[in-house]
Amino acid sequence: LDICLLPFLSVLDFNHNQIEEIPELISQLSRLTHLSLSRNKLKSLPHTISELKSLIFLDLSGNEISQFSIELASLSALQ
């Protein structure tokens, strides 16, 4: 199943899944409001994450991300 083919998806919870990379096509999930990726093996985020303008919740805790891109600042709906 290609998750990026679900344009009406609003909540995505991939906690505790050993994920190492998020595809750039995540930007196609334009109605995504909640993205939870805690406790994975992420080291970075795709720059296209800045296109998720509906995103109000983002959990990246417990990953290996050492620095965040300036693109995250454009997610003005984040709470």
Side-chain angles (χ1 to χ4, degrees), residues 6-7 12-13 19 25-26 30 33-34 53 59 71 77 79:
L6 302 170
L12 186 56
D13 183 338
I19 296 171
L25 291 176
I26 196 164
S30 61
T33 59
H34 290 71
K53 300 300 183 191
D59 184 358
E71 283 99 0
Q79 299 179 359

Side-chain angles (χ1 to χ4, degrees), residues 8-22:
F8 295 102
L9 188 69
S10 63
V11 176
L12 186 56
D13 183 338
F14 274 147
N15 298 328
H16 302 273
N17 279 290
Q18 307 286 319
I19 296 171
E20 295 180 3
E21 184 176 274
I22 301 299

Side-chain angles (χ1 to χ4, degrees), residues 11-60:
V11 176
L12 186 56
D13 183 338
F14 274 147
N15 298 328
H16 302 273
N17 279 290
Q18 307 286 319
I19 296 171
E20 295 180 3
E21 184 176 274
I22 301 299
E24 294 209 11
L25 291 176
I26 196 164
S27 62
Q28 294 179 1
L29 300 176
S30 61
R31 296 186 187 200
L32 198 63
T33 59
H34 290 71
L35 179 57
S36 190
L37 298 164
S38 69
R39 311 263 185 258
N40 282 290
K41 294 185 176 186
L42 296 172
K43 294 182 180 170
S44 65
L45 296 172
H47 66 90
T48 56
I49 201 160
S50 65
E51 297 173 30
L52 298 176
K53 300 300 183 191
S54 298
L55 200 61
I56 59 173
F57 176 83
L58 177 62
D59 184 358
L60 299 168

